Amino acid sequence: MKTYLVTGGAGFIGTNFVYYMLKRYKDIRLINVDALTYAGNMENLTDIKDDQRHIFVQADICDSEAIEKLFEKYDIDYVVNFAAESHVDRSITNPEIFVQTNVQGTLNLLNLAKKHWMVEDDVYKEGVKFLQVSTDEVYGSLQDTGYFTETTPLCPHSPYSASKTAADCFVQAYHDTYKLPVNITRCSNNYGPYQFPEKLIPLIINNTLHHKQLPVYGDGMNIRDWLYVEDHCKAIDMVINGGRIGEVYNVGGHNERPNIFIVKTIIAYIKENVDDSVSEALIQYVEDRKGHDRRYGIDPSKIKEDLGWYPETKFEDGICLTIQWYLDHKKWMEHITSGAYMEYYQAMYEKKAEDA
Ligand code: NAD
Ligand code: TYD
């Protein structure tokens, strides 16, 4: 049985990864460490609250003592580091926390993995691995043509992508210097269930349903390369279990769409299936994001050729599945917009403390 230390597993991708892995592997143990910032939501994990294979621990990845206890208590085989401050707009107004969590937190995890996994100089326990979940945003922005490959120079523009780049550099440095077994995955924009509604797709779905204005930055022609979150989870699983040590793998499914196309697709779906009074009149072009990257596009050849990964969900299907998920989970969204989701996890913790 393998034990995974999954950080940030109460956030969007981490939650999906936890569900993906529990479904795929019977014999597995997931230690899910999350600080429960505004982006962490215990309500995401209610479906597995009685699953003994999943152990949730509220802790900050920057807290050496708390994380060290987990290395001491559990025989950890893999660290999968999702925990991060993840929103570009927030990084523009408050970069410091991005350095703290994304850089310092990653460094802390690297130090603890090295300390607990090293058996002698440069030699590590059999089969262990540190997987850093990174982003295509570390490569910067593309013009109209070309794709990001693993050898594209790192050229981040936002404080978010700068912090993720710094973290990637530390992960690579721990491999190059101490031979720590690592992989880095760099994925394009994810969409799907449990995404916090500060991000484009859930924000637009929620606003459309409530007849609120739909803010489109700049001319709406910035391009993102969208991947259904489950396909990202599959890629991470394959890299943990088959990725060559020390390698970077780009993950993306060639689903480039301008933002305005995404917004219009969501309006059309809701108009057709839910409420025919909504229309594109809700769209409001607003001031552009500072330093707004124009285009992202991933070349996923390496992960396809090396590991046989391919995306299973076409964008046209994934976007319908996603909109439908938010329609089926209106309470989940309401708990976030009202702030009640914060109380929810507190209540759950008070109960756990009583049970203990
Ligand atoms: P998210 O913001 O939804 O979730 C982040 C989670 O990390 C939250 O549960 C939060 O509580 C937790 N967290 C934050 N600071 C922490 C800390 N100091 N200690 C412990 N936990 C902490 O983010 P997401 O969209 O799920 O992204 C997960 C990872 O994937 C991030 O590393 C992000 O850079 C990367 N990524 C995201 C995308 C995307 O499109 N969302 C694409 C590529 C890569
Ligand atoms: P976002 O979901 O924040 O992801 P990222 O910045 O990591 O790519 O934004 C996706 C795209 O949508 C990005 O080009 C910015 C744009 N955007 C809007 O036009 N309006 C919005 O309200 C938001 C949140 C994003």
Side-chain angles (χ1 to χ4, degrees), residues 294-339:
R294 191 65 175 168
R295 175 178 163 245
Y296 301 144
I298 282 275
D299 175 353
S301 308
K302 181 173 170 180
I303 192 169
K304 283 187 168 176
E305 283 158 23
D306 281 16
L307 303 178
W309 176 85
Y310 61 92
E312 289 180 30
T313 308
K314 284 196 303 191
F315 182 79
E316 287 63 30
D317 299 331
I319 193 70
C320 296
L321 284 174
T322 301
I323 300 170
Q324 199 53 51
W325 187 89
Y326 289 95
L327 289 169
D328 294 341
H329 293 80
K330 284 193 179 140
K331 283 263 173 296
W332 178 90
M333 184 65 88
E334 274 167 37
H335 292 163
I336 291 179
T337 50
S338 70

Coordinates of all heavy atoms in Angstrom, one line a residue, residues 294-339:
R294 N -1.2 37.0 -22.9 CA -2.2 37.0 -24.0 C -2.6 35.5 -24.4 O -3.8 35.3 -24.6 CB -1.5 37.6 -25.2 CG -2.4 37.9 -26.4 CD -3.4 38.9 -26.1 NE -4.3 39.3 -27.2 CZ -5.4 40.0 -27.1 NH1 -5.8 40.4 -25.9 NH2 -6.1 40.3 -28.2
R295 N -1.6 34.7 -24.4 CA -2.0 33.3 -24.9 C -1.2 32.2 -24.2 O 0.0 32.4 -24.1 CB -1.8 33.2 -26.4 CG -2.1 31.8 -27.0 CD -1.9 31.7 -28.5 NE -1.8 30.3 -28.8 CZ -0.7 29.8 -29.3 NH1 0.3 30.5 -29.7 NH2 -0.7 28.5 -29.5
Y296 N -1.8 31.1 -23.8 CA -1.1 30.0 -23.3 C -1.5 28.8 -24.2 O -2.6 28.7 -24.7 CB -1.6 29.5 -21.9 CG -1.4 30.6 -20.8 CD1 -2.3 30.7 -19.8 CD2 -0.3 31.4 -20.8 CE1 -2.1 31.6 -18.7 CE2 -0.1 32.3 -19.7 CZ -1.0 32.4 -18.7 OH -0.9 33.3 -17.7
G297 N -0.5 27.9 -24.5 CA -0.8 26.8 -25.3 C 0.3 25.7 -25.1 O 1.5 26.0 -25.2
I298 N -0.2 24.5 -24.7 CA 0.8 23.5 -24.3 C 1.0 22.5 -25.4 O 0.1 22.1 -26.1 CB 0.1 22.7 -23.1 CG1 0.3 23.5 -21.8 CG2 0.7 21.3 -22.9 CD1 1.5 23.3 -21.0
D299 N 2.3 22.1 -25.5 CA 2.6 21.0 -26.4 C 2.8 19.8 -25.4 O 3.8 19.7 -24.7 CB 4.0 21.3 -27.1 CG 4.4 20.0 -27.9 OD1 3.8 19.0 -27.8 OD2 5.4 20.2 -28.6
P300 N 1.8 18.8 -25.5 CA 1.9 17.7 -24.5 C 2.6 16.5 -25.1 O 2.4 15.4 -24.6 CB 0.4 17.4 -24.3 CG -0.2 17.7 -25.6 CD 0.6 18.8 -26.3
S301 N 3.4 16.6 -26.1 CA 4.0 15.4 -26.8 C 4.8 14.6 -25.9 O 4.7 13.3 -25.9 CB 5.0 15.9 -27.9 OG 4.4 16.8 -28.8
K302 N 5.5 15.2 -24.9 CA 6.4 14.4 -24.1 C 5.6 13.4 -23.2 O 5.9 12.2 -23.1 CB 7.3 15.3 -23.2 CG 8.2 14.6 -22.3 CD 9.2 15.6 -21.6 CE 10.0 14.9 -20.6 NZ 10.9 15.9 -19.9
I303 N 4.6 13.9 -22.5 CA 3.8 13.0 -21.6 C 3.0 12.0 -22.4 O 2.8 10.9 -22.0 CB 2.9 13.8 -20.7 CG1 2.3 12.9 -19.6 CG2 1.8 14.6 -21.4 CD1 1.7 13.6 -18.4
K304 N 2.7 12.4 -23.6 CA 2.0 11.4 -24.5 C 2.9 10.3 -24.9 O 2.6 9.1 -24.8 CB 1.4 12.1 -25.8 CG 0.2 12.9 -25.5 CD -0.4 13.4 -26.8 CE -1.8 14.0 -26.5 NZ -2.4 14.6 -27.7
E305 N 4.1 10.7 -25.4 CA 5.0 9.7 -25.9 C 5.7 8.9 -24.8 O 5.8 7.6 -24.9 CB 6.1 10.4 -26.7 CG 5.6 10.7 -28.1 CD 6.4 11.8 -28.8 OE1 7.6 12.0 -28.4 OE2 5.8 12.5 -29.7
D306 N 6.0 9.5 -23.7 CA 6.7 8.8 -22.6 C 5.8 7.9 -21.8 O 6.2 6.8 -21.4 CB 7.4 9.8 -21.6 CG 8.7 10.3 -22.2 OD1 8.9 10.2 -23.4 OD2 9.5 10.9 -21.4
L307 N 4.6 8.5 -21.5 CA 3.7 7.8 -20.5 C 2.4 7.3 -21.1 O 1.6 6.7 -20.4 CB 3.5 8.7 -19.3 CG 4.7 9.2 -18.6 CD1 4.4 10.2 -17.5 CD2 5.6 8.1 -18.0
G308 N 2.1 7.7 -22.3 CA 0.9 7.2 -23.0 C -0.3 8.0 -22.5 O -1.5 7.6 -22.6
W309 N -0.1 9.2 -21.9 CA -1.2 10.0 -21.4 C -2.0 10.6 -22.6 O -1.3 11.0 -23.6 CB -0.7 11.1 -20.5 CG -1.8 12.0 -20.0 CD1 -2.7 11.9 -19.0 CD2 -2.2 13.3 -20.6 NE1 -3.6 12.9 -18.9 CE2 -3.3 13.8 -19.9 CE3 -1.7 14.0 -21.7 CZ2 -3.9 15.0 -20.2 CZ3 -2.4 15.2 -22.1 CH2 -3.4 15.7 -21.3
Y310 N -3.3 10.7 -22.5 CA -4.0 11.5 -23.5 C -5.3 12.0 -22.7 O -5.8 11.4 -21.8 CB -4.4 10.7 -24.7 CG -5.3 9.5 -24.3 CD1 -6.7 9.6 -24.3 CD2 -4.7 8.3 -23.9 CE1 -7.5 8.5 -24.0 CE2 -5.5 7.2 -23.5 CZ -6.9 7.3 -23.6 OH -7.7 6.3 -23.2
P311 N -5.8 13.2 -23.2 CA -7.0 13.7 -22.5 C -8.2 13.0 -23.0 O -8.4 12.7 -24.2 CB -7.0 15.2 -23.0 CG -6.2 15.2 -24.2 CD -5.3 14.1 -24.2
E312 N -9.1 12.6 -22.0 CA -10.3 11.8 -22.4 C -11.5 12.7 -22.7 O -12.4 12.2 -23.3 CB -10.6 10.8 -21.3 CG -9.5 9.7 -21.3 CD -9.7 8.7 -20.2 OE1 -10.9 8.4 -19.8 OE2 -8.7 8.1 -19.7
T313 N -11.5 13.9 -22.1 CA -12.7 14.7 -22.2 C -12.5 15.9 -23.2 O -11.7 16.7 -23.0 CB -13.1 15.2 -20.8 OG1 -13.1 14.1 -19.9 CG2 -14.4 15.9 -20.8
K314 N -13.3 15.8 -24.2 CA -13.3 16.9 -25.2 C -13.9 18.2 -24.5 O -14.8 18.1 -23.7 CB -14.1 16.6 -26.4 CG -13.5 15.6 -27.4 CD -14.2 15.6 -28.7 CE -15.7 15.3 -28.5 NZ -16.5 15.0 -29.7
F315 N -13.4 19.3 -25.0 CA -13.9 20.6 -24.3 C -15.4 20.7 -24.4 O -16.1 21.1 -23.5 CB -13.2 21.8 -25.0 CG -13.6 23.1 -24.3 CD1 -13.1 23.5 -23.1 CD2 -14.6 23.9 -24.8 CE1 -13.6 24.6 -22.4 CE2 -15.1 25.0 -24.2 CZ -14.5 25.4 -23.0
E316 N -15.9 20.4 -25.6 CA -17.4 20.5 -25.8 C -18.2 19.7 -24.8 O -19.3 20.1 -24.4 CB -17.8 20.2 -27.2 CG -17.3 21.2 -28.3 CD -15.8 21.4 -28.4 OE1 -15.1 20.4 -28.1 OE2 -15.4 22.5 -28.7
D317 N -17.7 18.5 -24.4 CA -18.3 17.7 -23.4 C -18.0 18.2 -22.0 O -18.9 18.3 -21.2 CB -17.9 16.2 -23.5 CG -18.2 15.6 -24.9 OD1 -19.2 16.1 -25.5 OD2 -17.4 14.7 -25.4
G318 N -16.8 18.5 -21.8 CA -16.3 18.9 -20.4 C -17.0 20.1 -20.0 O -17.4 20.2 -18.8
I319 N -17.2 21.1 -20.9 CA -17.9 22.3 -20.4 C -19.3 22.1 -20.0 O -19.8 22.7 -19.1 CB -17.7 23.5 -21.5 CG1 -18.1 24.8 -20.9 CG2 -18.5 23.2 -22.7 CD1 -17.1 25.4 -19.8
C320 N -20.0 21.2 -20.8 CA -21.4 20.9 -20.4 C -21.5 20.1 -19.1 O -22.3 20.4 -18.2 CB -22.1 20.0 -21.5 SG -22.2 20.9 -23.1
L321 N -20.5 19.1 -18.9 CA -20.5 18.4 -17.6 C -20.3 19.4 -16.5 O -20.9 19.3 -15.4 CB -19.3 17.5 -17.6 CG -19.4 16.2 -18.4 CD1 -18.0 15.4 -18.4 CD2 -20.5 15.3 -17.8
T322 N -19.4 20.4 -16.7 CA -19.0 21.3 -15.7 C -20.2 22.2 -15.3 O -20.6 22.4 -14.1 CB -17.8 22.2 -16.1 OG1 -16.8 21.3 -16.4 CG2 -17.4 23.2 -15.1
I323 N -20.9 22.8 -16.3 CA -22.0 23.7 -16.1 C -23.1 22.9 -15.3 O -23.6 23.3 -14.3 CB -22.6 24.3 -17.4 CG1 -21.5 25.1 -18.1 CG2 -23.8 25.2 -17.0 CD1 -21.8 25.6 -19.5
Q324 N -23.3 21.7 -15.8 CA -24.3 20.8 -15.2 C -24.0 20.5 -13.7 O -24.8 20.5 -12.8 CB -24.5 19.5 -16.0 CG -25.8 18.8 -15.7 CD -27.1 19.7 -15.8 OE1 -27.2 20.4 -16.9 NE2 -27.9 19.7 -14.8
W325 N -22.7 20.3 -13.4 CA -22.3 20.0 -12.0 C -22.6 21.2 -11.1 O -23.2 21.1 -10.1 CB -20.8 19.8 -12.0 CG -20.4 19.3 -10.6 CD1 -20.3 18.0 -10.1 CD2 -20.0 20.2 -9.5 NE1 -20.0 18.0 -8.8 CE2 -19.7 19.3 -8.4 CE3 -19.8 21.5 -9.3 CZ2 -19.3 19.8 -7.1 CZ3 -19.4 22.0 -8.1 CH2 -19.2 21.1 -7.0
Y326 N -22.4 22.5 -11.6 CA -22.7 23.6 -10.8 C -24.2 23.8 -10.7 O -24.7 24.2 -9.6 CB -22.0 24.9 -11.4 CG -20.5 24.9 -11.2 CD1 -19.6 24.4 -12.1 CD2 -19.9 25.2 -9.9 CE1 -18.3 24.3 -11.9 CE2 -18.6 25.1 -9.7 CZ -17.7 24.7 -10.7 OH -16.4 24.6 -10.5
L327 N -24.9 23.4 -11.7 CA -26.4 23.5 -11.6 C -26.9 22.5 -10.5 O -27.8 22.7 -9.8 CB -27.1 23.2 -12.9 CG -26.9 24.3 -14.0 CD1 -27.3 23.7 -15.4 CD2 -27.7 25.5 -13.6
D328 N -26.2 21.3 -10.5 CA -26.6 20.3 -9.6 C -26.1 20.5 -8.1 O -26.5 19.8 -7.2 CB -26.1 18.9 -10.0 CG -26.8 18.4 -11.3 OD1 -27.8 19.0 -11.7 OD2 -26.2 17.6 -12.0
H329 N -25.3 21.5 -8.0 CA -24.6 21.8 -6.6 C -24.8 23.2 -6.3 O -23.9 23.9 -5.9 CB -23.2 21.4 -6.7 CG -23.0 19.9 -6.8 ND1 -23.0 19.2 -8.0 CD2 -22.7 18.9 -5.9 CE1 -22.8 17.9 -7.8 NE2 -22.7 17.7 -6.5
K330 N -26.0 23.7 -6.4 CA -26.3 25.1 -6.1 C -26.0 25.5 -4.7 O -25.6 26.6 -4.4 CB -27.7 25.5 -6.5 CG -27.9 25.6 -8.0 CD -29.3 26.2 -8.3 CE -29.4 26.4 -9.8 NZ -30.8 26.1 -10.3
K331 N -26.3 24.5 -3.8 CA -26.1 24.8 -2.4 C -24.6 25.0 -2.1 O -24.2 25.8 -1.3 CB -26.6 23.6 -1.5 CG -28.1 23.5 -1.3 CD -28.4 24.2 0.1 CE -29.9 24.3 0.3 NZ -30.6 25.2 -0.6
W332 N -23.8 24.2 -2.8 CA -22.3 24.3 -2.6 C -21.9 25.7 -3.0 O -21.1 26.3 -2.2 CB -21.6 23.2 -3.6 CG -20.1 23.3 -3.6 CD1 -19.3 22.5 -2.7 CD2 -19.3 24.0 -4.4 NE1 -18.0 22.8 -3.1 CE2 -17.9 23.7 -4.1 CE3 -19.5 25.0 -5.4 CZ2 -16.8 24.3 -4.7 CZ3 -18.4 25.5 -6.1 CH2 -17.1 25.2 -5.7
M333 N -22.4 26.2 -4.1 CA -22.0 27.6 -4.5 C -22.6 28.6 -3.5 O -21.9 29.6 -3.1 CB -22.6 27.8 -5.9 CG -22.2 29.1 -6.5 SD -20.4 29.3 -6.8 CE -20.3 28.6 -8.4
E334 N -23.8 28.4 -3.1 CA -24.4 29.4 -2.1 C -23.6 29.4 -0.8 O -23.5 30.5 -0.3 CB -25.9 28.9 -1.8 CG -26.9 29.4 -2.8 CD -28.2 28.7 -2.5 OE1 -28.6 28.4 -1.4 OE2 -28.9 28.3 -3.5
H335 N -23.2 28.3 -0.4 CA -22.4 28.3 0.9 C -21.1 29.1 0.7 O -20.6 29.6 1.7 CB -22.0 26.8 1.3 CG -23.3 26.1 1.7 ND1 -23.3 24.7 1.8 CD2 -24.5 26.5 2.1 CE1 -24.5 24.3 2.2 NE2 -25.2 25.4 2.4
I336 N -20.5 29.1 -0.5 CA -19.3 29.9 -0.7 C -19.7 31.4 -0.8 O -19.1 32.2 -0.1 CB -18.6 29.4 -2.0 CG1 -18.0 28.0 -1.8 CG2 -17.5 30.4 -2.4 CD1 -17.3 27.5 -3.0
T337 N -20.7 31.7 -1.6 CA -21.0 33.1 -1.8 C -21.5 33.8 -0.5 O -21.2 34.9 -0.3 CB -21.9 33.3 -3.0 OG1 -23.1 32.5 -2.8 CG2 -21.3 33.0 -4.3
S338 N -22.1 33.0 0.4 CA -22.6 33.5 1.6 C -21.5 33.5 2.7 O -21.6 34.1 3.8 CB -23.8 32.7 2.1 OG -23.4 31.4 2.6
G339 N -20.4 32.7 2.4 CA -19.4 32.5 3.4 C -19.6 31.4 4.4 O -18.8 31.1 5.2

